[in-house]
Amino acid sequence: MCCGPCGVASPGAACAWRAARWQAWPSWCSPPCWPWPPWGASPASPPRPPSCWARPSASSPRSSSSGSCCSCPVPPPGSRWLRALAILGVEALVVWQVAAATLAPLRDALPPPPVAGQRIWELSTGSRLAYVVRKPKRSRGLPPVVVLHGGPGRADLGGDSAFFGALAADGRPVYVYDQVGAGRSSRLADPGGYSLTRDLDDLEAIRLRLGADRLVLVGHAEGALLAAAYLARHPGNVDRLVLSSPAGLRPAPSGAALARLDAAQNRRLALSLLHPRVLAASALLQANPAAAHSVVGDAELDARLAAYHRLLLPARRCGSGAAPAAVTGAYANLVRRPIPSWIGEGISGSPAPTLIVKGSCDYQSWSSAAGYRAIMPASQLVYLRGAGHDAYRDRPGPYLEAVRAFLAGRPLSPHTGELPPPDFQGPP
């Protein structure tokens, strides 16, 4: 035996039939009373007293002390139409809101102001690149230092030129520039043009513009991968390499940075991207980059990605710290960039002196840095405790000391073990 909403006892199979009918009962038939069986029940329905088959009305409600059936109010005239119109109205409002959010552009990022000493390179590749140079007081004829930011597309021309410009005190000119599609440099009309090949061509054009036979390349994250690729393509044009928190020679699992955020931070990060125009641009970018760019422009998407990176900052640092004044080129950052196998093949066995810097809180794997050391016999790995992915921002003193010693040929205290130190917090 079982009991329905009216307290009616019904045996056996009638229970299941009754439960299914209750779920489908019109919402205007207010519980707890409803007729048994409902109006229009089929002859196959469980047998009930004849009085229950009649449609109850407001004037003659059906009810009995035995619980054979209960009364249900007659729906007012036109109520079903009113309900249908209300549902359609709500759906139309939702569609209108989504369409308005999709069609209305987001607030654009303000153009970044020029930094002190900013200049422009007009390269033969068609790129128009913003850069800053810090020249030594006394030139010693040493190969210039060229700094390659990471991201890709995440440039901090002012902060990086102020920090790495200190290397000029040792007699080398230091050049810091925003790669194409990032920071204060030009953007491409078709985001599909952003690629490792384009960045390599720009870097070689810079070397020719400087008139330098060889370069000292200091690359951070994806900038380190760019430096390694340049070494593989132009081995005779590289004097020394500094690979800071380098991106690996193989694709890394997605979401590594998110592991350093708590649940609330991850939730805010995800919500920052749940905007119809951002989702539309991301989807189009994979199939038709030019179409994505026509829907969402550079300034608009730059503003949204800048907000995303501000929320991601705790994953990049080993503690609290001010956010860098980075200007992210969204399309340069989001476009798909495969890692070609010829990079690892080209640098394997390279005699170029190489310094690899790895922080204890770097969210990238230990193998992303150890992979370079394993195939480059002239490389050394310096481990910085208390430093995150942005190691030079977390530990500026020890970082700069290690780089200056390396460029001067002074001995370092590298990490020599195959395994990461016990206090390393990133993936293996």
Side-chain angles (χ1 to χ4, degrees), residues 98 101-103 273-289 291-293 295-296 300-301 331 334:
V98 172
T102 304
L103 296 175
L273 297 178
L274 292 182
H275 188 283
R277 290 179 62 81
V278 175
L279 297 175
S282 299
L284 281 172
L285 188 60
Q286 308 308 317
N288 191 333
H293 190 258
V295 173
V296 182
E300 180 183 349
L301 201 58
Y331 281 108
L334 296 175

Side-chain angles (χ1 to χ4, degrees), residues 302-326:
D302 287 357
R304 179 60 63 174
L305 200 62
Y308 175 86
H309 279 291
R310 283 194 294 271
L311 294 172
L312 192 62
L313 181 65
R316 304 177 63 91
R317 307 294 291 269
C318 206
S320 60

Side-chain angles (χ1 to χ4, degrees), residues 10 26 32 40 102 121 126 149 158 165 189 198 222 253 255 274 307-308 320 326 342 366 371:
S10 53
T102 304
W121 278 319
H149 64 72
R198 177 62 179 256
E222 280 74 11
L274 292 182
Y308 175 86
S320 60
W342 57 259
W366 179 261

Side-chain angles (χ1 to χ4, degrees), residues 48-382:
R48 303 299 298 167
S51 61
C52 287
W53 289 84
R55 173 171 176 166
S57 65
S59 60
S60 59
R62 300 290 182 181
S63 181
S64 75
S65 59
S66 62
S68 62
C69 61
C70 305
S71 64
C72 184
V74 175
S79 63
R80 291 189 178 185
W81 286 105
L82 291 174
R83 183 183 178 210
L85 288 174
I87 293 174
L88 288 175
V90 172
E91 291 177 347
L93 180 61
V94 171
V95 170
W96 179 80
Q97 292 284 358
V98 172
T102 304
L103 296 175
L106 300 172
R107 182 180 299 174
D108 290 353
L110 296 175
V115 303
Q118 178 180 319
R119 306 180 187 184
I120 297 294
W121 278 319
E122 301 276 359
L123 301 180
S124 58
T125 60
S127 298
R128 188 173 185 271
L129 306 184
Y131 77 98
V132 171
V133 58
R134 296 286 185 258
K135 294 185 177 180
K137 293 182 178 180
R138 179 179 299 176
S139 176
R140 297 169 53 189
L142 299 173
V145 174
V146 177
V147 179
L148 308 173
H149 64 72
R154 185 167 165 78
D156 180 11
L157 188 61
D160 287 355
S161 60
F163 180 81
F164 291 103
L167 299 175
D170 297 328
R172 298 176 185 269
V174 178
Y175 294 86
V176 180
Y177 74 98
D178 291 348
Q179 296 158 29
V180 66
R184 295 160 176 81
S185 292
S186 62
R187 304 299 202 265
L188 301 180
D190 182 0
Y194 296 121
S195 65
L196 178 64
T197 299
R198 177 62 179 256
D199 291 337
L200 286 171
D201 291 344
D202 284 347
L203 183 53
E204 175 62 4
I206 290 172
R207 184 190 69 83
L208 296 174
R209 175 67 63 89
L210 298 179
D213 293 331
R214 293 183 299 166
L215 302 174
V216 173
L217 298 178
V218 179
H220 175 67
E222 280 74 11
L225 185 65
L226 172 59
Y230 186 84
L231 174 64
R233 178 179 280 190
H234 305 283
N237 297 345
V238 176
D239 181 67
R240 288 172 177 261
L241 288 178
V242 176
L243 308 179
S244 174
S245 304
L249 295 168
R250 295 180 179 84
S254 60
L258 306 184
R260 290 190 55 80
L261 301 178
D262 59 32
Q265 291 170 329
N266 271 299
R267 185 165 53 252
R268 288 193 295 270
L269 197 66
L271 290 174
S272 72
L273 297 178
L274 292 182
H275 188 283
R277 290 179 62 81
V278 175
L279 297 175
S282 299
L284 281 172
L285 188 60
Q286 308 308 317
N288 191 333
H293 190 258
S294 66
V295 173
V296 182
D298 288 295
E300 180 183 349
L301 201 58
D302 287 357
R304 179 60 63 174
L305 200 62
Y308 175 86
H309 279 291
R310 283 194 294 271
L311 294 172
L312 192 62
L313 181 65
R316 304 177 63 91
R317 307 294 291 269
C318 206
S320 60
V327 182
T328 301
Y331 281 108
N333 180 269
L334 296 175
V335 74
R336 187 173 299 167
R337 299 185 184 221
I339 301 175
S341 59
W342 57 259
I343 299 179
E345 296 166 357
I347 66 176
S348 181
S350 171
T354 301
L355 171 64
I356 305 164
V357 181
K358 188 70 171 175
S360 62
C361 302
D362 191 358
Y363 65 78
Q364 290 188 337
S365 67
W366 179 261
S367 60
S368 66
Y372 290 93
R373 187 181 61 173
I375 63 176
M376 303 180 75
S379 64
Q380 304 177 76
L381 191 154
V382 168

